[in-house]
Amino acid sequence: METVVSGIRPTGRLHLGNYFGAMKNFLQMQETHNCFFFIADYHSLTTHPNPGDLRASVRKVLSEYLACGLDPDKCTLYVQSDLPETAELYLLLNMHAYAGELERSTTFKEKIRKQPDNINAGLLTYPVLMASDILIHRADKVPVGKDQEQHLEMTRTFGNRFNRMYREGFFPEPVAFNFGKKLVKVPGLDGSGKMGKSEGAGNAIFLSEDDASVKKKVMRAVTDAGPEKPNQEKPEVIENLFTLLKLVSTEETVKHFDDKYNDCSIRYGDMKKQLAEDMIRFIRPLSEQIRDTAADIKHIDRVIDLGREKARESAGKTMQEVRSLLGFRP
Ligand code: AMP
């Protein structure tokens, strides 16, 4: 069975973009692959979070993933900092990662621009830590978005470099991976192309959001003055609403409003009301499950313990061989 590794940011709550863009993929993968999903709390140190906040958000994120259906018996769900093996591999790989190639990374350049007062070495070597997360389980596949392609390329570079120096074929070459057909890009409600937690306040619908708040956001979604002639092409903001409708409503409902758009009789207020209703129907069971799961801290901590045990078994095997290949005591 092929091995998949994916990191999860320990910040924010899951929104519909995360659900349809990533979670659905994870739910399928856990059925067919040997999956390691980890909460990337080492990575988050580059922004110096408050320790209490970090601990709480790790639990929060984990409870949302469990509530969505990730099953700790089917996959390995762990906290990155529970695996000292990752930190050790990171140290070793750093000796073969060159400053020049790290400085050329586009995300590093972006970070320099975004946080000029905190350009720490962790930011520079971020791709090495990411490579360690992947190589520590000798992963074959990594579900990544376009923005992470360059990091994955660097992971292959570091893995291959190690192989050439110490043992050919030791680390597999991990490739980018999405399950089945192309994943949807979920649009935001404020007319911006993408739903995201760092966009404006009304842009994202969170899975833990209550009914009234979902309704308020959807009713405020950006629209235009309406179609002027039959069958005209939809402008982006309207297309976005239809994309959302397709995710949570029945085909019949979508067709109903599509027909109304095409014969120019559409009333956006009606469409948004329907969208809000269907979104609430979709989200409510998830938000209830999130609430229940988050309340059971003992269960979450048991999941974390189980994850650590499984992840360390896999990582321990890799590190034993790596240490011996490098000439250290196993
Ligand atoms: P982020 O919230 O940016 O950390 O993203 C976590 C995961 O959700 C990544 O796999 C993203 O590609 C995915 N994701 C985030 N926002 C969207 C969106 N609006 N549409 C589709 N996928 C998304």
Side-chain angles (χ1 to χ4, degrees):
M1 200 188 271
E2 285 183 313
T3 297
V4 170
V5 173
S6 185
I8 300 163
R9 270 197 263 187
T11 48
R13 299 171 292 164
L14 289 178
H15 51 70
L16 283 176
N18 301 133
Y19 186 81
F20 288 104
M23 181 59 73
K24 285 196 85 171
N25 211 6
F26 289 177
L27 294 177
Q28 277 184 296
M29 284 188 294
Q30 71 173 349
E31 303 294 335
T32 49
H33 289 73
N34 179 26
C35 293
F36 293 89
F37 301 119
F38 65 93
I39 303 185
D41 58 348
Y42 276 151
H43 281 290
S44 72
L45 287 187
T46 54
T47 57
H48 308 162
N50 169 302
D53 292 349
L54 182 58
R55 192 171 307 129
S57 26
V58 166
R59 282 205 183 109
K60 176 102 188 73
V61 169
L62 194 66
S63 64
E64 298 214 340
Y65 275 73
L66 290 170
C68 286
L70 277 194
D71 181 345
D73 290 325
K74 291 181 180 167
C75 63
T76 301
L77 204 50
Y78 70 97
V79 180
Q80 186 186 28
S81 63
D82 271 344
L83 226 61
E85 290 83 354
T86 303
E88 188 181 5
L89 184 58
Y90 167 62
L91 180 146
L92 302 176
L93 290 179
N94 264 324
M95 307 301 173
H96 296 296
Y98 296 98
E101 63 190 341
L102 296 172
E103 281 160 3
R104 278 195 299 276
S105 137
T106 38
T107 25
F108 179 61
K109 288 184 192 156
E110 205 176 295
K111 291 281 179 190
I112 291 182
R113 237 181 309 116
K114 275 196 190 156
Q115 51 184 75
D117 299 331
N118 177 21
I119 307 169
N120 56 66
L123 281 179
L124 181 67
T125 57
Y126 190 100
V128 187
L129 183 53
M130 183 170 159
S132 307
D133 293 321
I134 296 166
L135 298 175
I136 196 80
H137 302 297
R138 297 206 244 176
D140 306 287
K141 290 175 171 176
V142 185
V144 290
K146 269 262 161 281
D147 53 333
Q148 295 287 324
E149 269 290 353
Q150 195 185 26
H151 284 159
L152 193 54
E153 187 58 48
M154 291 173 91
T155 299
R156 286 191 285 265
T157 302
F158 300 144
N160 285 334
R161 196 172 285 160
F162 183 96
N163 290 354
R164 271 196 309 279
M165 293 193 67
Y166 301 105
R167 186 194 288 165
E168 276 308 330
F170 181 72
F171 288 120
E173 269 205 336
V175 294
F177 170 60
N178 277 322
F179 215 98
K181 57 182 179 346
K182 267 180 66 179
L183 288 171
V184 278
K185 185 175 107 183
V186 180
L189 286 166
D190 58 359
S192 72
K194 191 179 159 187
M195 186 174 286
K197 56 179 157 274
S198 31
E199 311 298 323
N203 168 62
I205 299 282
F206 295 95
L207 302 184
S208 53
E209 196 139 358
D210 65 61
D211 297 1
S213 166
V214 173
K215 182 153 190 199
K216 199 159 124 192
K217 283 186 184 173
V218 174
M219 293 313 286
R220 283 188 186 162
V222 179
T223 52
D224 64 1
E228 285 162 359
K229 52 180 194 298
N231 302 314
Q232 76 177 56
E233 202 182 315
K234 299 183 186 84
E236 196 186 342
V237 285
I238 304 303
E239 193 60 61
N240 286 351
L241 280 189
F242 274 92
T243 303
L244 291 168
L245 198 67
K246 280 179 202 154
L247 292 173
V248 294
S249 303
T250 62
E251 269 179 43
E252 253 179 322
T253 304
V254 176
K255 184 172 182 317
H256 170 79
F257 287 105
D258 203 37
D259 289 347
K260 289 213 165 267
Y261 186 86
N262 286 331
D263 69 14
C264 302
S265 67
I266 192 158
R267 292 205 317 213
Y268 291 135
D270 293 346
M271 178 167 162
K272 290 201 260 186
K273 225 169 123 194
Q274 184 70 47
L275 178 60
E277 219 172 85
D278 292 342
M279 237 178 217
I280 288 167
R281 189 175 319 118
F282 181 83
I283 285 173
R284 199 184 285 148
L286 287 173
S287 64
E288 284 171 1
Q289 191 63 51
I290 288 171
R291 211 178 320 126
D292 291 351
T293 311
D296 192 350
I297 291 185
K298 276 200 182 128
H299 173 63
I300 295 178
D301 287 347
R302 272 199 305 275
V303 169
I304 292 179
D305 286 344
L306 174 70
R308 175 177 52 206
E309 210 176 289
K310 291 206 285 181
R312 288 201 70 179
E313 194 187 327
S314 153
K317 276 187 203 146
T318 305
M319 279 321 289
Q320 206 169 10
E321 288 194 60
V322 165
R323 288 182 60 91
S324 137
L325 286 171
L326 289 171
F328 295 144
R329 291 195 324 136

